[in-house]
Amino acid sequence: MRYRKSLYLLPILAIILLATGKLLAQQNSVSRRFAVIAYHHGPGEIAAAYPVEKLTHIIYSFLHLDGNCLAAGTTDSISIVQLVGLKQRNPNLKIILSLGGWGGCPTCPDVFATETGRSEFSNSVKELMIKYNVDGIDLDWEYPALGSIPGYRHYPEDKQNFTMLIRSLRKALGDGYEVSFAAGGFAGYFIKSVEWTEVMPLVDRVNLMTYDYINGYSTKTGHHTPLYSTSQQKESTDYAVRFLDSLGVPLEKIVIGAAFYARTFSHVSHRNNGLYRNCKFEGFTGFRDLDEYFSRHDGFKVYWDSIAQAPYAYNPKERIFATFDDSRSVALKTNYALDKGLNGIMFWSLTGDNPQNGLIGIIYNTLNQNNGLK
């Protein structure tokens, strides 16, 4: 009789074990897959004040070219060593070196146009990986084949040369190091700058810069880092993800971006609380300093755009408009990345956050609430 009961119980136990195994596998898969990436610009020692235990990656920004090679000067070397030292607090933390940045790669089109240039660069990257015990390279070439910066050289062939650069890097680095790149979050970049089907199988992820949609060149206000498009503003985080999905880019290799800073604009009409009005770019304010900025310019009121899923603020007395991410929008972006099965979320930049009780904590708590991650 006991034998027969055990026979009946076996299928039930098998189902329970299978379900439990699947749940654990899903949780482990999410925890392995979901990246929380901080771009860090500045001295490495500053990063120690932040909750690096809640990050998966820190990308040191930026190194530049010296001839055909990636170069780290004395200041860079000190910062990199300091960042690698943070692995004592978070052994799973990966430290990535980044090339370029806005205006930081003026010779990229020429260097990467030749096999010699690509090869020498790739070998220099491998040498730095070994020298500093770091974990990968992030390419921030802004932007292949696009004349985004006045006076900078760019060629239509940049698109194909970028593919060959990625191939060269992967060959030199093998599978032991990560290769990623920062991508513009707009349609012109998606179409003209990258051969997606060629590049994506070779990289670990693409870090979408889904911010600066309204920037220093803008003549009208708007959301600089919206989650969704509006009738007045087509480009957004969701628009970028859907565009890349339509090009066949694997969702599990896409990282979306959050902005840990506000962009502010002056000479803005009070109509529509300053949203989608003529303007003059004023400057940047880190998220950690935003409350103080609002207090200094008395009269600000914060609004929420339920379509864009983004905050903004307007000061009618001084006619100043501000666009930014906050706790609510960052939590929504994190949930969006989870729901879509994306690779993760990244942000520019670490020092824009509050060291305690900041936006990093919002990302971390959102992950825990949705997936039970610890």
Side-chain angles (χ1 to χ4, degrees), residues 228-360:
Y228 291 102
S229 305
T230 71
S231 60
Q232 297 285 331
Q233 192 172 341
K234 180 178 70 173
E235 289 175 330
S236 67
T237 301
D238 177 65
Y239 178 83
V241 170
R242 288 188 293 107
F243 201 119
L244 290 187
D245 187 32
S246 74
L247 297 177
V249 176
L251 292 177
E252 63 270 20
K253 286 193 174 185
I254 296 175
V255 171
I256 57 172
F260 283 18
Y261 61 96
R263 282 184 174 271
T264 56
F265 300 83
S266 60
H267 301 83
V268 180
S269 164
H270 70 278
R271 292 183 61 189
N272 200 29
N273 298 315
L275 187 60
Y276 306 128
R277 300 292 99 193
N278 292 335
C279 65
K280 180 180 179 182
F281 177 64
E282 183 186 68
F284 306 89
T285 300
F287 175 78
R288 63 183 293 175
D289 301 318
L290 198 53
D291 286 343
E292 188 276 331
Y293 177 86
F294 288 159
S295 297
R296 182 158 35 91
H297 297 272
D298 183 51
F300 266 106
K301 183 176 179 180
V302 177
Y303 300 90
W304 179 259
D305 187 327
S306 60
I307 298 175
Q309 296 287 283
Y312 64 101
Y314 182 63
N315 183 328
K317 184 166 64 175
E318 298 189 33
R319 300 175 63 198
I320 301 174
F321 177 89
T323 168
F324 49 93
D325 263 325
D326 65 2
S327 298
R328 184 178 181 183
S329 65
V330 165
L332 287 168
K333 284 182 175 179
T334 305
N335 278 321
Y336 177 92
L338 286 168
D339 291 343
K340 294 288 185 180
L342 305 185
N343 189 274
I345 189 168
M346 64 83 169
F347 53 87
W348 179 276
S349 66
L350 182 63
T351 55
D353 199 16
N354 290 314
Q356 286 84 36
N357 301 316
L359 296 178
I360 294 173

Side-chain angles (χ1 to χ4, degrees), residues 9 27 45 61 85 89 98 115 125 127 132 163 169 191 206 215 219-220 223 255 266 278 314 324-325 343 372:
L9 288 173
Q27 290 182 344
E45 62 183 352
S61 313
R89 288 169 51 187
S98 184
E115 184 177 353
V125 170
E127 291 174 1
Y132 294 107
T163 300
L169 276 169
I191 296 168
V206 52
N215 52 56
T219 58
K220 284 193 175 183
H223 300 293
V255 171
S266 60
N278 292 335
Y314 182 63
F324 49 93
D325 263 325
N343 189 274

Side-chain angles (χ1 to χ4, degrees), residues 3 11 13 43 51 94 113 115 210 224 234 238 260 344:
Y3 178 71
L13 289 171
K94 293 184 182 295
E115 184 177 353
T210 46
H224 98 85
K234 180 178 70 173
D238 177 65
F260 283 18

Side-chain angles (χ1 to χ4, degrees), residues 163 167 194-202 247-250:
T163 300
R167 288 175 180 160
V194 178
E195 295 180 302
W196 295 98
T197 57
E198 300 294 325
V199 166
M200 291 311 299
L202 300 173
L247 297 177
V249 176

Side-chain angles (χ1 to χ4, degrees), residues 1-18:
M1 193 68 175
R2 288 181 189 145
Y3 178 71
R4 288 179 181 176
K5 284 184 177 179
S6 65
L7 284 178
Y8 296 145
L9 288 173
L10 281 175
I12 298 173
L13 289 171
I15 292 171
I16 292 172
L17 289 172
L18 181 61

